[in-house]
Amino acid sequence: MAYLENIRTFVRVYELGSMSAAARDQRISAAVASARIAALEEHLDIRLFQRTTRKLNPTEQGALFYHSALRIIEAVDEAEAEIGQVTRSPRGTLHIAAPLGLGQRIIAPAVPDFKALYPLINIRLRLSDRRLDLATEGLDAMFFLGVPEDSSLRIRKIADCERILCAAPAYIARKGLPETSDSLASGAHDCLNLRYAGAPEFQWPLRTPDGVRRISVSGPFESDHGDALTQWALNGHGIILKPRFEVHDHLEAGRLVPVLEGEPPVPIQMACLYPHKRRQDPKARLLIEFMIERILGAMPG
């Protein structure tokens, strides 16, 4: 088992290009990660990485070993999955990710319930509004809002997720209701944007009488954290574009009110992404089906 853990650590160091990043990913110290790589190099009698002050670069032998190491890990994972299927006790660890709004409200609360049904499966959940790369992050599945850029992944559509423009009554009292999408495009209103490095969407797509129009909007605040935008909106600082399920309770309580209902946002696709081989893993399949059922059950009618 120690040798297998050394190989797993090597694979993550290779993929992430950093000993410290791989250590964080595996929840071990950088010293332990370094010791595992050193032990693997001693066992193989080769140098796996060229070490510089800023980055680890794989040697030719390291690159060659990576592809074999990946097959070893996949073979072990598949063997464990098959045993779990035969014994009806799926086991192992799943690494999943979701955007903050969906993850905090639906996915995270459902994890303990899934664990209660399948006690031998451990879940590692990552929540982020940034776009994550499944391979780099070592993810088995990622719940997602939008259109995936990586065509090599498999996608399981869950629903077309309704979105809404909304603001606090205090903001409406101060700035008035926007009458048309032109009011947003002109800069007459403060719009709160979700932005981060590499974000693909910097415009709001609205359904206007002339068809879908992508509106470039601006405002006083931006963040890569969706809940920060919601809080700013609740405090009266501007208009937000949100999936309806994220702000449903605030709308019901009147803390936020819909705006520009005559030109609503285009719905966004909610889906689950996973590598081709992961869908064949029984425990991954169980988790995906379980979470999709929870998500659909939690969507406002």
Side-chain angles (χ1 to χ4, degrees):
M1 289 301 292
Y3 183 61
L4 182 59
E5 291 306 312
N6 292 348
I7 292 177
R8 289 187 186 277
T9 299
F10 161 75
V11 166
R12 296 308 286 149
V13 172
Y14 184 98
E15 292 172 341
L16 299 175
S18 165
M19 195 75 71
S20 58
R24 287 193 298 272
D25 177 78
Q26 294 208 311
R27 292 165 179 79
I28 58 177
S29 69
V32 170
S34 181
R36 288 180 178 179
I37 298 301
L40 193 57
E41 289 179 327
E42 182 177 356
H43 175 80
L44 297 171
D45 195 25
I46 59 172
R47 178 64 63 88
L48 295 169
F49 296 101
Q50 294 290 351
R51 293 160 174 80
T52 67
T53 55
R54 294 190 175 182
K55 190 175 181 181
L56 293 177
N57 295 309
T59 62
E60 182 179 352
Q61 295 91 338
L64 182 64
F65 184 67
Y66 167 75
H67 297 289
S68 298
L70 204 56
R71 289 196 296 270
I72 291 170
I73 291 174
E74 290 177 355
V76 171
D77 289 344
E78 289 172 6
E80 288 183 348
E82 288 176 3
I83 292 298
Q85 193 172 30
V86 170
T87 62
R88 299 184 182 276
S89 300
R91 66 187 64 218
T93 299
L94 289 173
H95 294 80
I96 63 173
L100 285 163
L102 175 63
Q104 290 176 334
R105 290 163 180 80
I106 301 175
I107 302 294
V111 166
D113 295 335
F114 180 81
K115 177 70 173 175
L117 287 174
Y118 306 103
L120 299 180
I121 301 178
N122 296 319
I123 304 298
R124 304 289 182 258
L125 173 63
R126 181 167 181 186
L127 301 181
S128 176
D129 281 328
R130 293 175 178 266
R131 295 288 174 91
L132 303 177
D133 181 85
L134 266 77
T136 301
E137 302 292 337
L139 297 172
D140 297 291
M142 177 170 67
F143 295 90
F144 186 86
L145 293 171
V147 178
E149 298 173 356
D150 189 345
S151 60
S152 69
L153 300 172
R154 298 192 68 178
I155 181 168
R156 169 78 180 275
K157 182 177 178 180
I158 300 173
D160 286 320
C161 186
E162 181 185 359
R163 294 192 285 184
I164 188 171
L165 295 173
C166 54
Y171 175 84
I172 302 302
R174 178 167 54 88
K175 300 279 287 192
L177 280 169
E179 296 182 359
T180 68
S181 54
D182 289 331
S183 302
L184 303 185
S186 69
H189 281 273
D190 297 330
C191 299
L192 306 175
N193 270 316
L194 180 70
R195 296 205 186 218
Y196 52 87
E201 185 174 324
F202 293 117
Q203 299 172 318
W204 289 0
L206 306 182
R207 292 180 292 192
T208 74
D210 298 322
V212 174
R213 180 183 179 190
R214 302 184 70 84
I215 306 296
S216 295
V217 297
S218 61
F221 311 131
E222 295 177 352
S223 177
D224 62 354
H225 194 301
D227 281 356
L229 302 181
T230 302
Q231 191 58 55
W232 287 335
L234 288 167
N235 292 340
H237 295 300
I239 299 171
I240 52 173
L241 168 62
K242 281 283 183 176
R244 181 179 284 273
F245 77 87
E246 286 193 28
V247 292
H248 174 74
D249 291 347
H250 297 308
L251 292 167
E252 289 290 299
R255 293 185 291 269
L256 293 173
V257 296
V259 303
L260 208 60
E261 292 184 275
E263 299 184 49
V266 173
I268 191 169
Q269 176 181 246
M270 181 185 293
C272 180
L273 303 178
Y274 49 91
H276 278 266
K277 65 182 181 65
R278 295 302 186 190
R279 178 63 176 170
Q280 299 167 8
D281 182 340
K283 65 179 181 293
R285 184 166 61 249
L286 286 170
L287 180 129
I288 290 170
E289 297 296 338
F290 181 89
M291 290 301 175
I292 287 177
E293 183 177 345
R294 282 300 181 92
I295 290 168
L296 293 175
M299 290 292 103

